[in-house]
Amino acid sequence: MSKEIPYKIYLEENEMPKQWYNVRADMKNKPAPILNPATMKPITLEELAPIFCGELAKQELDDRTPYFDIPQEIQDFYRMYRPSPLVRAYCLEKKLGTPAHIYYKFEGNNTSGSHKLNSAIAQAYYAKKQGLKGVTTETGAGQWGTALSMACSYFDLDCQVYMVKVSYEQKPFRREVMRTYGATVTPSPSMNTNIGRKINQEFPGTTGSLGCAISEAVEAATTQEGYRYVLGSVLSQVLLHQTVIGLETKTALDKYGIKADVIIGCAGGGSNLGGLISPFAGEVLRGEADYEMIAVEPASCPSLTRGIYAYDFCDTGKICPLAKMYTLGSSFIPSANHAGGLRYHGMSSIVSQLYEDGILTARSVEQTEVFKAAQMFARVEGILPAPESSHAIKVAIDEAMKCKETGEEKNIVFGLTGTGYFDMVAYQKFNDGDMADYVPTDEEIRKSLSMLPKVE
Ligand SMILES: *Cc1c(COP(=O)(O)O)cnc(C)c1O
């Protein structure tokens, strides 16, 4: 070992990325094009224009340009809370008695408490630049809505958030953070939109889903002058913005001559995972290096491990473009588990294609196991992790324990996407021993998959 590795590897400001990396440029098998739900043909820039900001639509459709300059205004905002530290988990290693070296990239050091601000600020910037009045969005657990409300208040944009009802009720404090930053927050399904009214009628008492909230937000954007819809995950543009995570991680590792062996991220819609692994996946795709990369998803919403790779709607209301992705079917409504940010029926088309091509593997983990890992992590590393992030912790611990058996000194890197201060109801359930593990039956999954759209 050349240099002593500190607890925290920080970068200098001038070592921060000035460009986002578009891994699609290095993929031989490109993600399949997104389709217009009206025509079932690849969607064009013009057709995306009523829904998305122009620059973001361009980023969405561009699978050739390897690097996009990060506009100076966004770089300036990033400097308020980035670079984020890459932490060597010395205390966790000691607790586990493992010869493995464990590192985590910590994205919870901003008020929104997660990595989502990396894309929120980019999306708000392009909306402002286009002269819009405001944006609409959905939020599941609340992290995205919080990040977007911060980003919108920075650029003085109106922000309308449709929040999945179960989270709206479970997390009143999240809601108040958003309102403090000036956002309007509506529980979804609501009675404000056609699709919301329809879903309320079809599924009385439903606690909602991300797919449903997306439909409401899109309807709200397209029916108000000067508004566009923005999304916190799944889309390729979001994954692109999140590559700041992976680029910083790579620079930090390189600085100390560390070669990652295993890279782990939790997967909801795939943006943090995709952003973390992109630069590494790029090396694999170009034949320059080899890494084991693992996506971790909840057993209650197992898109990669139990879904199929097919075109599907991104939303319950079937008004968004269709994407080819690993999906459980857009009518799948996952049980009300405590990792709200991972309750999405589909997966980023980039992550899906990388998984299909074997660049990436996936595992699903059950909720109580995840919280056991979260508790151990909190006690030794100090940080109170978000339930979503704890999925990655769980698998990082599993991998480190394998090293203990084999004596291998692997470098394990995982993404710690955020903090769990607004998830204390979940921690309370865990601490009281009241937490259940809900795993959908094959029959349930088959049923929602049987309703997939037919695409040639
Ligand atoms: C939203 C969220 C996730 C999952 O979203 P991805 O798009 O899959 O990254 C993970 N962790 C936290 C803390 C989140 O807020």
Side-chain angles (χ1 to χ4, degrees), residues 403-418:
C403 291
K404 189 174 176 175
E405 273 167 35
T406 61
E408 282 173 291
E409 231 181 75
K410 282 188 181 170
N411 290 316
I412 299 170
V413 177
F414 73 90
L416 189 69
T417 49

Side-chain angles (χ1 to χ4, degrees), residues 360-434:
L360 174 72
T361 61
R363 283 183 212 171
S364 73
V365 289
E366 292 186 8
Q367 175 157 257
T368 45
E369 290 301 310
V370 166
F371 274 81
K372 274 186 208 156
Q375 185 191 60
M376 175 194 273
F377 185 83
R379 290 181 182 179
V380 295
E381 286 290 321
I383 294 170
L384 183 79
E388 291 87 352
S389 323
S390 305
H391 287 68
I393 298 175
K394 161 71 180 139
V395 169
I397 291 175
D398 288 349
E399 288 300 302
M401 292 311 283
K402 276 190 210 158
C403 291
K404 189 174 176 175
E405 273 167 35
T406 61
E408 282 173 291
E409 231 181 75
K410 282 188 181 170
N411 290 316
I412 299 170
V413 177
F414 73 90
L416 189 69
T417 49
T419 48
Y421 300 115
F422 291 100
D423 299 285
M424 297 327 290
V425 171
Y427 276 96
Q428 182 186 13
K429 284 245 164 66
F430 177 73
N431 292 330
D432 289 344
D434 285 343

Side-chain angles (χ1 to χ4, degrees), residues 114-116 143 233 266-273 341-342 386 388-389 417-418:
S114 81
H115 66 283
K116 294 205 172 65
Q143 289 98 320
S233 182
C266 63
S271 76
N272 88 79
L273 169 77
L342 305 182
E388 291 87 352
S389 323
T417 49

Side-chain angles (χ1 to χ4, degrees), residues 5-12 16 78 80-89 102-110 118 244-253 255-256 276 377 381 383 413-419:
I5 297 162
Y7 271 71
K8 287 188 181 136
I9 305 179
Y10 278 110
L11 301 180
E12 303 295 330
M16 286 170 62
Y78 280 166
M80 289 202 278
Y81 68 99
R82 308 198 68 83
S84 71
L86 182 71
V87 184
R88 171 80 185 269
I102 308 174
Y103 299 86
Y104 56 90
K105 180 70 168 164
F106 182 45
E107 292 291 320
N109 266 339
N110 67 76
N118 300 331
V244 290
I245 303 172
L247 292 164
E248 282 184 10
T249 300
K250 178 120 185 38
T251 307
L253 290 172
K255 222 169 147 166
Y256 284 86
L276 172 66
F377 185 83
E381 286 290 321
I383 294 170
V413 177
F414 73 90
L416 189 69
T417 49
T419 48

Side-chain angles (χ1 to χ4, degrees), residues 19 61 74 88 107 167 256 291 296 322 341 371 408 443:
Q19 296 178 310
L61 297 184
I74 300 175
R88 171 80 185 269
E107 292 291 320
S167 303
Y256 284 86
Y291 301 99
V296 190
L322 288 86
F371 274 81
E408 282 173 291
E443 190 44 41

